Amino acid sequence: MKNRQETKINLHLALSFRFALCILHFALCTALMSGCARPQLVATPAPVIAPVWPSPPLEPRIEWVKEIRDYRGAGVDRGFWKRAWDFIAGEEEARIIKPHGVYFDDMQRLFIVDAGGAQLHLMDMRKGRYTLIRHENGNGFLSPVGISGDDGGNVYVTDSGTAVIFRYSLQDDSLTQFTSVKFARPTGIAFNRANRLLYVVDTAAHQVVALDMTGTERIRFGSRGHGPGQFNYPTDICIDGTGQVIVTDALNSRIQIFSSSGKPLTAFGQAGDEIGHFNKPKGVAVDSDGHIYICDALHDAVQIFDPQGQLLLSFGESGQEPGQFWMPSGIHIDANDFIYVADSFNQRIQVFKYLKEVQSEK
């Protein structure tokens, strides 16, 4: 009787193992189908003509490059075995739901803070790999907003829902809480290479807080108001090439520029529906020539100013085509002057290029 029961158990295990192998075989075949299928004759789509700003016959200064809606748009892959396992486990394919913060580092890694999915997309262009970061060891995003990276292989993400600053280490792939400093609602964040401090916008406190690499508070400036150095719900922040701190003072409809110690230097902007004015200013970034770019979510445009506040150019309009926006929010400009704009309600990142002025030979 005992031998018969053992035989039944062994038979059951063998059948279960064979069934699992069949499922895996089916998944592998499915994953390979796209590469093995007989090529189909399809109509060749018309090439996309990259928009430029300003329009011809003027010399272009901004050129549209591409859009990124998922890892494919960035030219990376999840890997064969990852795709096969996701198929077996029934995992939904990750996609960008509502992007806000965006960052591209010196190692050709694109980071997209996805507030709609409470997740961080990591697209490694150099290695051709895609990673989705959601939570680890009880740490999880609730309402992630801003992102920046330091010079030591870490990126930092603000979460306005949990009032926490997260640090993601690229060395050991870990997500941890960075600091014990209390925030009301952290949003924008930027690393200053000049003094190695991390500047965080605390929107609800109407302040900017600077932390060192141990998470210790070093500088705090700002209060609610309309005067120089005061804020009315600031949101985003960036650092220029000299180490100056540039803050989007959203409900005061202006941009304020500070020294690295928090001393107010200058400000520009006013509320209005016309280009050159601000309707709902959000993300801010600086190119290699010191021009300041501001996303305006209600203008559906990116406006470019010089450091004195003179309007230089505006690009974008409402829509879903290349170069059009629906509530643009975050913006980042990399070392090669590629411009990454989080086109939030179009569920994509749009990439542009700043075209430097060609110096004529004398």
Side-chain angles (χ1 to χ4, degrees), residues 191-225:
F191 177 68
N192 193 334
R193 293 178 181 269
N195 58 10
R196 302 196 75 248
L197 293 181
L198 193 66
Y199 291 75
V200 182
V201 176
D202 194 343
T203 296
H206 312 281
Q207 292 181 327
V208 173
V209 180
L211 310 170
D212 64 21
M213 291 295 91
T214 68
T216 303
E217 180 180 324
R218 295 301 182 188
I219 303 170
R220 182 183 291 262
F221 58 93
S223 61
R224 190 170 191 182

PDB file of all heavy atoms in Angstrom, residues 191-225:
ATOM      1  N   PHE A 191      21.306  68.128  -7.779  1.00  0.00           N
ATOM      2  CA  PHE A 191      22.628  67.987  -7.171  1.00  0.00           C
ATOM      3  C   PHE A 191      23.550  69.064  -7.707  1.00  0.00           C
ATOM      4  O   PHE A 191      23.633  69.285  -8.916  1.00  0.00           O
ATOM      5  CB  PHE A 191      23.210  66.606  -7.490  1.00  0.00           C
ATOM      6  CG  PHE A 191      24.597  66.382  -6.960  1.00  0.00           C
ATOM      7  CD1 PHE A 191      24.835  66.297  -5.598  1.00  0.00           C
ATOM      8  CD2 PHE A 191      25.675  66.271  -7.829  1.00  0.00           C
ATOM      9  CE1 PHE A 191      26.114  66.099  -5.103  1.00  0.00           C
ATOM     10  CE2 PHE A 191      26.967  66.059  -7.349  1.00  0.00           C
ATOM     11  CZ  PHE A 191      27.181  65.981  -5.976  1.00  0.00           C
ATOM     12  N   ASN A 192      24.237  69.751  -6.777  1.00  0.00           N
ATOM     13  CA  ASN A 192      25.173  70.814  -7.145  1.00  0.00           C
ATOM     14  C   ASN A 192      26.586  70.252  -7.094  1.00  0.00           C
ATOM     15  O   ASN A 192      27.128  69.963  -6.026  1.00  0.00           O
ATOM     16  CB  ASN A 192      25.029  71.989  -6.176  1.00  0.00           C
ATOM     17  CG  ASN A 192      25.728  73.242  -6.672  1.00  0.00           C
ATOM     18  OD1 ASN A 192      26.685  73.176  -7.445  1.00  0.00           O
ATOM     19  ND2 ASN A 192      25.254  74.397  -6.227  1.00  0.00           N
ATOM     20  N   ARG A 193      27.198  70.078  -8.265  1.00  0.00           N
ATOM     21  CA  ARG A 193      28.542  69.515  -8.323  1.00  0.00           C
ATOM     22  C   ARG A 193      29.591  70.462  -7.737  1.00  0.00           C
ATOM     23  O   ARG A 193      30.672  70.030  -7.347  1.00  0.00           O
ATOM     24  CB  ARG A 193      28.905  69.164  -9.768  1.00  0.00           C
ATOM     25  CG  ARG A 193      28.077  68.028 -10.347  1.00  0.00           C
ATOM     26  CD  ARG A 193      28.430  67.739 -11.796  1.00  0.00           C
ATOM     27  NE  ARG A 193      27.601  66.655 -12.338  1.00  0.00           N
ATOM     28  CZ  ARG A 193      27.946  65.378 -12.305  1.00  0.00           C
ATOM     29  NH1 ARG A 193      29.111  65.025 -11.759  1.00  0.00           N
ATOM     30  NH2 ARG A 193      27.147  64.458 -12.817  1.00  0.00           N
ATOM     31  N   ALA A 194      29.279  71.759  -7.682  1.00  0.00           N
ATOM     32  CA  ALA A 194      30.248  72.734  -7.189  1.00  0.00           C
ATOM     33  C   ALA A 194      30.515  72.551  -5.695  1.00  0.00           C
ATOM     34  O   ALA A 194      31.667  72.672  -5.248  1.00  0.00           O
ATOM     35  CB  ALA A 194      29.758  74.148  -7.475  1.00  0.00           C
ATOM     36  N   ASN A 195      29.485  72.285  -4.909  1.00  0.00           N
ATOM     37  CA  ASN A 195      29.664  72.118  -3.458  1.00  0.00           C
ATOM     38  C   ASN A 195      29.203  70.750  -2.947  1.00  0.00           C
ATOM     39  O   ASN A 195      29.205  70.508  -1.749  1.00  0.00           O
ATOM     40  CB  ASN A 195      28.936  73.228  -2.692  1.00  0.00           C
ATOM     41  CG  ASN A 195      27.440  73.269  -2.991  1.00  0.00           C
ATOM     42  OD1 ASN A 195      26.897  72.362  -3.624  1.00  0.00           O
ATOM     43  ND2 ASN A 195      26.776  74.318  -2.545  1.00  0.00           N
ATOM     44  N   ARG A 196      28.786  69.872  -3.860  1.00  0.00           N
ATOM     45  CA  ARG A 196      28.345  68.507  -3.541  1.00  0.00           C
ATOM     46  C   ARG A 196      27.198  68.497  -2.535  1.00  0.00           C
ATOM     47  O   ARG A 196      27.132  67.657  -1.638  1.00  0.00           O
ATOM     48  CB  ARG A 196      29.503  67.640  -3.033  1.00  0.00           C
ATOM     49  CG  ARG A 196      30.662  67.526  -3.989  1.00  0.00           C
ATOM     50  CD  ARG A 196      31.616  66.403  -3.677  1.00  0.00           C
ATOM     51  NE  ARG A 196      31.044  65.102  -4.042  1.00  0.00           N
ATOM     52  CZ  ARG A 196      30.706  64.176  -3.157  1.00  0.00           C
ATOM     53  NH1 ARG A 196      30.836  64.395  -1.869  1.00  0.00           N
ATOM     54  NH2 ARG A 196      30.213  63.020  -3.559  1.00  0.00           N
ATOM     55  N   LEU A 197      26.274  69.423  -2.725  1.00  0.00           N
ATOM     56  CA  LEU A 197      25.066  69.453  -1.908  1.00  0.00           C
ATOM     57  C   LEU A 197      23.856  69.120  -2.782  1.00  0.00           C
ATOM     58  O   LEU A 197      23.827  69.436  -3.974  1.00  0.00           O
ATOM     59  CB  LEU A 197      24.865  70.820  -1.254  1.00  0.00           C
ATOM     60  CG  LEU A 197      25.885  71.233  -0.195  1.00  0.00           C
ATOM     61  CD1 LEU A 197      25.531  72.611   0.367  1.00  0.00           C
ATOM     62  CD2 LEU A 197      25.981  70.209   0.931  1.00  0.00           C
ATOM     63  N   LEU A 198      22.874  68.499  -2.153  1.00  0.00           N
ATOM     64  CA  LEU A 198      21.638  68.123  -2.831  1.00  0.00           C
ATOM     65  C   LEU A 198      20.550  69.094  -2.391  1.00  0.00           C
ATOM     66  O   LEU A 198      20.210  69.170  -1.206  1.00  0.00           O
ATOM     67  CB  LEU A 198      21.269  66.689  -2.449  1.00  0.00           C
ATOM     68  CG  LEU A 198      20.191  65.976  -3.255  1.00  0.00           C
ATOM     69  CD1 LEU A 198      20.658  65.734  -4.690  1.00  0.00           C
ATOM     70  CD2 LEU A 198      19.828  64.650  -2.593  1.00  0.00           C
ATOM     71  N   TYR A 199      20.003  69.855  -3.356  1.00  0.00           N
ATOM     72  CA  TYR A 199      18.994  70.871  -3.053  1.00  0.00           C
ATOM     73  C   TYR A 199      17.601  70.299  -3.308  1.00  0.00           C
ATOM     74  O   TYR A 199      17.326  69.792  -4.394  1.00  0.00           O
ATOM     75  CB  TYR A 199      19.220  72.120  -3.908  1.00  0.00           C
ATOM     76  CG  TYR A 199      20.472  72.899  -3.534  1.00  0.00           C
ATOM     77  CD1 TYR A 199      21.735  72.437  -3.892  1.00  0.00           C
ATOM     78  CD2 TYR A 199      20.385  74.081  -2.808  1.00  0.00           C
ATOM     79  CE1 TYR A 199      22.885  73.130  -3.547  1.00  0.00           C
ATOM     80  CE2 TYR A 199      21.532  74.798  -2.460  1.00  0.00           C
ATOM     81  CZ  TYR A 199      22.778  74.307  -2.831  1.00  0.00           C
ATOM     82  OH  TYR A 199      23.911  75.001  -2.478  1.00  0.00           O
ATOM     83  N   VAL A 200      16.738  70.415  -2.299  1.00  0.00           N
ATOM     84  CA  VAL A 200      15.389  69.848  -2.368  1.00  0.00           C
ATOM     85  C   VAL A 200      14.367  70.958  -2.160  1.00  0.00           C
ATOM     86  O   VAL A 200      14.459  71.726  -1.193  1.00  0.00           O
ATOM     87  CB  VAL A 200      15.185  68.753  -1.298  1.00  0.00           C
ATOM     88  CG1 VAL A 200      13.789  68.151  -1.413  1.00  0.00           C
ATOM     89  CG2 VAL A 200      16.255  67.671  -1.412  1.00  0.00           C
ATOM     90  N   VAL A 201      13.400  71.031  -3.052  1.00  0.00           N
ATOM     91  CA  VAL A 201      12.299  71.981  -2.898  1.00  0.00           C
ATOM     92  C   VAL A 201      11.241  71.363  -1.993  1.00  0.00           C
ATOM     93  O   VAL A 201      10.741  70.268  -2.274  1.00  0.00           O
ATOM     94  CB  VAL A 201      11.682  72.343  -4.260  1.00  0.00           C
ATOM     95  CG1 VAL A 201      10.469  73.255  -4.065  1.00  0.00           C
ATOM     96  CG2 VAL A 201      12.702  73.011  -5.160  1.00  0.00           C
ATOM     97  N   ASP A 202      10.910  72.069  -0.910  1.00  0.00           N
ATOM     98  CA  ASP A 202       9.820  71.653  -0.029  1.00  0.00           C
ATOM     99  C   ASP A 202       8.634  72.569  -0.323  1.00  0.00           C
ATOM    100  O   ASP A 202       8.507  73.659   0.243  1.00  0.00           O
ATOM    101  CB  ASP A 202      10.238  71.740   1.435  1.00  0.00           C
ATOM    102  CG  ASP A 202       9.271  71.009   2.359  1.00  0.00           C
ATOM    103  OD1 ASP A 202       8.135  70.728   1.924  1.00  0.00           O
ATOM    104  OD2 ASP A 202       9.651  70.714   3.507  1.00  0.00           O
ATOM    105  N   THR A 203       7.780  72.110  -1.219  1.00  0.00           N
ATOM    106  CA  THR A 203       6.714  72.968  -1.754  1.00  0.00           C
ATOM    107  C   THR A 203       5.794  73.500  -0.670  1.00  0.00           C
ATOM    108  O   THR A 203       5.508  74.702  -0.613  1.00  0.00           O
ATOM    109  CB  THR A 203       5.903  72.186  -2.805  1.00  0.00           C
ATOM    110  OG1 THR A 203       6.752  71.855  -3.904  1.00  0.00           O
ATOM    111  CG2 THR A 203       4.742  73.014  -3.321  1.00  0.00           C
ATOM    112  N   ALA A 204       5.293  72.630   0.195  1.00  0.00           N
ATOM    113  CA  ALA A 204       4.312  73.040   1.206  1.00  0.00           C
ATOM    114  C   ALA A 204       4.926  73.930   2.278  1.00  0.00           C
ATOM    115  O   ALA A 204       4.211  74.697   2.943  1.00  0.00           O
ATOM    116  CB  ALA A 204       3.668  71.814   1.841  1.00  0.00           C
ATOM    117  N   ALA A 205       6.252  73.852   2.470  1.00  0.00           N
ATOM    118  CA  ALA A 205       6.930  74.694   3.454  1.00  0.00           C
ATOM    119  C   ALA A 205       7.452  75.984   2.829  1.00  0.00           C
ATOM    120  O   ALA A 205       7.980  76.840   3.551  1.00  0.00           O
ATOM    121  CB  ALA A 205       8.079  73.931   4.103  1.00  0.00           C
ATOM    122  N   HIS A 206       7.354  76.114   1.499  1.00  0.00           N
ATOM    123  CA  HIS A 206       7.821  77.304   0.783  1.00  0.00           C
ATOM    124  C   HIS A 206       9.306  77.541   1.035  1.00  0.00           C
ATOM    125  O   HIS A 206       9.752  78.671   1.258  1.00  0.00           O
ATOM    126  CB  HIS A 206       7.005  78.537   1.190  1.00  0.00           C
ATOM    127  CG  HIS A 206       5.523  78.306   1.173  1.00  0.00           C
ATOM    128  ND1 HIS A 206       4.781  78.306   0.023  1.00  0.00           N
ATOM    129  CD2 HIS A 206       4.652  78.021   2.187  1.00  0.00           C
ATOM    130  CE1 HIS A 206       3.516  78.047   0.312  1.00  0.00           C
ATOM    131  NE2 HIS A 206       3.416  77.862   1.614  1.00  0.00           N
ATOM    132  N   GLN A 207      10.085  76.455   0.955  1.00  0.00           N
ATOM    133  CA  GLN A 207      11.512  76.530   1.252  1.00  0.00           C
ATOM    134  C   GLN A 207      12.327  75.640   0.317  1.00  0.00           C
ATOM    135  O   GLN A 207      11.777  74.769  -0.363  1.00  0.00           O
ATOM    136  CB  GLN A 207      11.787  76.099   2.699  1.00  0.00           C
ATOM    137  CG  GLN A 207      11.243  77.045   3.745  1.00  0.00           C
ATOM    138  CD  GLN A 207      11.561  76.578   5.159  1.00  0.00           C
ATOM    139  OE1 GLN A 207      11.624  75.385   5.447  1.00  0.00           O
ATOM    140  NE2 GLN A 207      11.784  77.531   6.056  1.00  0.00           N
ATOM    141  N   VAL A 208      13.635  75.866   0.328  1.00  0.00           N
ATOM    142  CA  VAL A 208      14.602  74.979  -0.310  1.00  0.00           C
ATOM    143  C   VAL A 208      15.576  74.519   0.766  1.00  0.00           C
ATOM    144  O   VAL A 208      16.071  75.336   1.553  1.00  0.00           O
ATOM    145  CB  VAL A 208      15.362  75.681  -1.449  1.00  0.00           C
ATOM    146  CG1 VAL A 208      16.477  74.788  -1.985  1.00  0.00           C
ATOM    147  CG2 VAL A 208      14.409  76.061  -2.582  1.00  0.00           C
ATOM    148  N   VAL A 209      15.839  73.212   0.808  1.00  0.00           N
ATOM    149  CA  VAL A 209      16.723  72.631   1.817  1.00  0.00           C
ATOM    150  C   VAL A 209      17.891  71.964   1.090  1.00  0.00           C
ATOM    151  O   VAL A 209      17.690  71.220   0.127  1.00  0.00           O
ATOM    152  CB  VAL A 209      15.983  71.587   2.671  1.00  0.00           C
ATOM    153  CG1 VAL A 209      16.918  70.996   3.721  1.00  0.00           C
ATOM    154  CG2 VAL A 209      14.755  72.206   3.330  1.00  0.00           C
ATOM    155  N   ALA A 210      19.116  72.233   1.539  1.00  0.00           N
ATOM    156  CA  ALA A 210      20.314  71.624   0.962  1.00  0.00           C
ATOM    157  C   ALA A 210      20.877  70.595   1.935  1.00  0.00           C
ATOM    158  O   ALA A 210      21.080  70.890   3.118  1.00  0.00           O
ATOM    159  CB  ALA A 210      21.359  72.679   0.645  1.00  0.00           C
ATOM    160  N   LEU A 211      21.138  69.385   1.431  1.00  0.00           N
ATOM    161  CA  LEU A 211      21.651  68.281   2.228  1.00  0.00           C
ATOM    162  C   LEU A 211      23.022  67.867   1.717  1.00  0.00           C
ATOM    163  O   LEU A 211      23.284  67.921   0.512  1.00  0.00           O
ATOM    164  CB  LEU A 211      20.703  67.071   2.135  1.00  0.00           C
ATOM    165  CG  LEU A 211      19.213  67.318   2.383  1.00  0.00           C
ATOM    166  CD1 LEU A 211      18.406  66.076   2.008  1.00  0.00           C
ATOM    167  CD2 LEU A 211      18.971  67.693   3.832  1.00  0.00           C
ATOM    168  N   ASP A 212      23.892  67.432   2.634  1.00  0.00           N
ATOM    169  CA  ASP A 212      25.158  66.875   2.180  1.00  0.00           C
ATOM    170  C   ASP A 212      24.965  65.401   1.841  1.00  0.00           C
ATOM    171  O   ASP A 212      23.857  64.867   1.920  1.00  0.00           O
ATOM    172  CB  ASP A 212      26.275  67.106   3.203  1.00  0.00           C
ATOM    173  CG  ASP A 212      26.039  66.386   4.532  1.00  0.00           C
ATOM    174  OD1 ASP A 212      25.263  65.411   4.568  1.00  0.00           O
ATOM    175  OD2 ASP A 212      26.660  66.791   5.538  1.00  0.00           O
ATOM    176  N   MET A 213      26.041  64.717   1.482  1.00  0.00           N
ATOM    177  CA  MET A 213      25.934  63.350   1.008  1.00  0.00           C
ATOM    178  C   MET A 213      25.665  62.337   2.121  1.00  0.00           C
ATOM    179  O   MET A 213      25.442  61.159   1.846  1.00  0.00           O
ATOM    180  CB  MET A 213      27.196  62.961   0.237  1.00  0.00           C
ATOM    181  CG  MET A 213      27.352  63.688  -1.093  1.00  0.00           C
ATOM    182  SD  MET A 213      26.077  63.290  -2.343  1.00  0.00           S
ATOM    183  CE  MET A 213      24.821  64.537  -2.038  1.00  0.00           C
ATOM    184  N   THR A 214      25.655  62.800   3.379  1.00  0.00           N
ATOM    185  CA  THR A 214      25.253  61.938   4.486  1.00  0.00           C
ATOM    186  C   THR A 214      23.781  62.136   4.843  1.00  0.00           C
ATOM    187  O   THR A 214      23.266  61.469   5.735  1.00  0.00           O
ATOM    188  CB  THR A 214      26.112  62.203   5.733  1.00  0.00           C
ATOM    189  OG1 THR A 214      25.813  63.511   6.251  1.00  0.00           O
ATOM    190  CG2 THR A 214      27.590  62.109   5.404  1.00  0.00           C
ATOM    191  N   GLY A 215      23.117  63.084   4.153  1.00  0.00           N
ATOM    192  CA  GLY A 215      21.718  63.375   4.454  1.00  0.00           C
ATOM    193  C   GLY A 215      21.530  64.433   5.522  1.00  0.00           C
ATOM    194  O   GLY A 215      20.416  64.678   5.970  1.00  0.00           O
ATOM    195  N   THR A 216      22.622  65.074   5.921  1.00  0.00           N
ATOM    196  CA  THR A 216      22.559  66.110   6.956  1.00  0.00           C
ATOM    197  C   THR A 216      22.196  67.455   6.342  1.00  0.00           C
ATOM    198  O   THR A 216      22.741  67.838   5.302  1.00  0.00           O
ATOM    199  CB  THR A 216      23.911  66.227   7.680  1.00  0.00           C
ATOM    200  OG1 THR A 216      24.263  64.959   8.240  1.00  0.00           O
ATOM    201  CG2 THR A 216      23.855  67.269   8.786  1.00  0.00           C
ATOM    202  N   GLU A 217      21.285  68.163   6.995  1.00  0.00           N
ATOM    203  CA  GLU A 217      20.887  69.475   6.499  1.00  0.00           C
ATOM    204  C   GLU A 217      22.017  70.479   6.668  1.00  0.00           C
ATOM    205  O   GLU A 217      22.603  70.596   7.751  1.00  0.00           O
ATOM    206  CB  GLU A 217      19.646  69.964   7.239  1.00  0.00           C
ATOM    207  CG  GLU A 217      19.152  71.329   6.784  1.00  0.00           C
ATOM    208  CD  GLU A 217      17.912  71.798   7.521  1.00  0.00           C
ATOM    209  OE1 GLU A 217      17.049  70.952   7.846  1.00  0.00           O
ATOM    210  OE2 GLU A 217      17.822  73.010   7.790  1.00  0.00           O
ATOM    211  N   ARG A 218      22.330  71.218   5.603  1.00  0.00           N
ATOM    212  CA  ARG A 218      23.387  72.219   5.636  1.00  0.00           C
ATOM    213  C   ARG A 218      22.864  73.635   5.413  1.00  0.00           C
ATOM    214  O   ARG A 218      23.396  74.596   5.980  1.00  0.00           O
ATOM    215  CB  ARG A 218      24.446  71.898   4.577  1.00  0.00           C
ATOM    216  CG  ARG A 218      25.207  70.601   4.834  1.00  0.00           C
ATOM    217  CD  ARG A 218      25.922  70.632   6.171  1.00  0.00           C
ATOM    218  NE  ARG A 218      26.690  69.422   6.429  1.00  0.00           N
ATOM    219  CZ  ARG A 218      27.278  69.147   7.586  1.00  0.00           C
ATOM    220  NH1 ARG A 218      27.175  70.014   8.586  1.00  0.00           N
ATOM    221  NH2 ARG A 218      27.952  68.026   7.741  1.00  0.00           N
ATOM    222  N   ILE A 219      21.867  73.785   4.563  1.00  0.00           N
ATOM    223  CA  ILE A 219      21.326  75.110   4.225  1.00  0.00           C
ATOM    224  C   ILE A 219      19.814  74.996   4.126  1.00  0.00           C
ATOM    225  O   ILE A 219      19.285  73.996   3.646  1.00  0.00           O
ATOM    226  CB  ILE A 219      21.904  75.618   2.885  1.00  0.00           C
ATOM    227  CG1 ILE A 219      23.430  75.680   2.916  1.00  0.00           C
ATOM    228  CG2 ILE A 219      21.325  76.997   2.542  1.00  0.00           C
ATOM    229  CD1 ILE A 219      24.053  75.952   1.542  1.00  0.00           C
ATOM    230  N   ARG A 220      19.129  76.021   4.591  1.00  0.00           N
ATOM    231  CA  ARG A 220      17.677  76.119   4.406  1.00  0.00           C
ATOM    232  C   ARG A 220      17.346  77.585   4.157  1.00  0.00           C
ATOM    233  O   ARG A 220      17.753  78.462   4.917  1.00  0.00           O
ATOM    234  CB  ARG A 220      16.939  75.607   5.638  1.00  0.00           C
ATOM    235  CG  ARG A 220      15.408  75.634   5.508  1.00  0.00           C
ATOM    236  CD  ARG A 220      14.743  75.170   6.800  1.00  0.00           C
ATOM    237  NE  ARG A 220      14.955  73.745   7.028  1.00  0.00           N
ATOM    238  CZ  ARG A 220      14.079  72.795   6.723  1.00  0.00           C
ATOM    239  NH1 ARG A 220      12.916  73.133   6.169  1.00  0.00           N
ATOM    240  NH2 ARG A 220      14.353  71.532   6.972  1.00  0.00           N
ATOM    241  N   PHE A 221      16.601  77.858   3.087  1.00  0.00           N
ATOM    242  CA  PHE A 221      16.232  79.240   2.829  1.00  0.00           C
ATOM    243  C   PHE A 221      14.838  79.310   2.223  1.00  0.00           C
ATOM    244  O   PHE A 221      14.347  78.352   1.621  1.00  0.00           O
ATOM    245  CB  PHE A 221      17.251  79.941   1.918  1.00  0.00           C
ATOM    246  CG  PHE A 221      17.470  79.306   0.568  1.00  0.00           C
ATOM    247  CD1 PHE A 221      16.736  79.717  -0.545  1.00  0.00           C
ATOM    248  CD2 PHE A 221      18.430  78.327   0.395  1.00  0.00           C
ATOM    249  CE1 PHE A 221      16.945  79.149  -1.796  1.00  0.00           C
ATOM    250  CE2 PHE A 221      18.659  77.753  -0.849  1.00  0.00           C
ATOM    251  CZ  PHE A 221      17.924  78.164  -1.944  1.00  0.00           C
ATOM    252  N   GLY A 222      14.197  80.493   2.423  1.00  0.00           N
ATOM    253  CA  GLY A 222      12.869  80.735   1.883  1.00  0.00           C
ATOM    254  C   GLY A 222      11.794  80.786   2.951  1.00  0.00           C
ATOM    255  O   GLY A 222      11.926  80.206   4.034  1.00  0.00           O
ATOM    256  N   SER A 223      10.732  81.492   2.643  1.00  0.00           N
ATOM    257  CA  SER A 223       9.524  81.565   3.468  1.00  0.00           C
ATOM    258  C   SER A 223       8.387  81.960   2.541  1.00  0.00           C
ATOM    259  O   SER A 223       8.622  82.343   1.390  1.00  0.00           O
ATOM    260  CB  SER A 223       9.689  82.592   4.590  1.00  0.00           C
ATOM    261  OG  SER A 223       9.915  83.888   4.046  1.00  0.00           O
ATOM    262  N   ARG A 224       7.168  81.889   3.027  1.00  0.00           N
ATOM    263  CA  ARG A 224       6.059  82.225   2.139  1.00  0.00           C
ATOM    264  C   ARG A 224       5.934  83.736   1.971  1.00  0.00           C
ATOM    265  O   ARG A 224       5.989  84.499   2.940  1.00  0.00           O
ATOM    266  CB  ARG A 224       4.747  81.646   2.665  1.00  0.00           C
ATOM    267  CG  ARG A 224       3.626  81.779   1.638  1.00  0.00           C
ATOM    268  CD  ARG A 224       2.383  81.031   2.004  1.00  0.00           C
ATOM    269  NE  ARG A 224       1.462  81.001   0.868  1.00  0.00           N
ATOM    270  CZ  ARG A 224       0.253  80.441   0.902  1.00  0.00           C
ATOM    271  NH1 ARG A 224      -0.170  79.847   2.012  1.00  0.00           N
ATOM    272  NH2 ARG A 224      -0.513  80.447  -0.176  1.00  0.00           N
ATOM    273  N   GLY A 225       5.790  84.157   0.715  1.00  0.00           N
ATOM    274  CA  GLY A 225       5.643  85.569   0.449  1.00  0.00           C
ATOM    275  C   GLY A 225       5.903  85.877  -1.003  1.00  0.00           C
ATOM    276  O   GLY A 225       6.037  84.973  -1.844  1.00  0.00           O
TER     277      GLY A 225
END
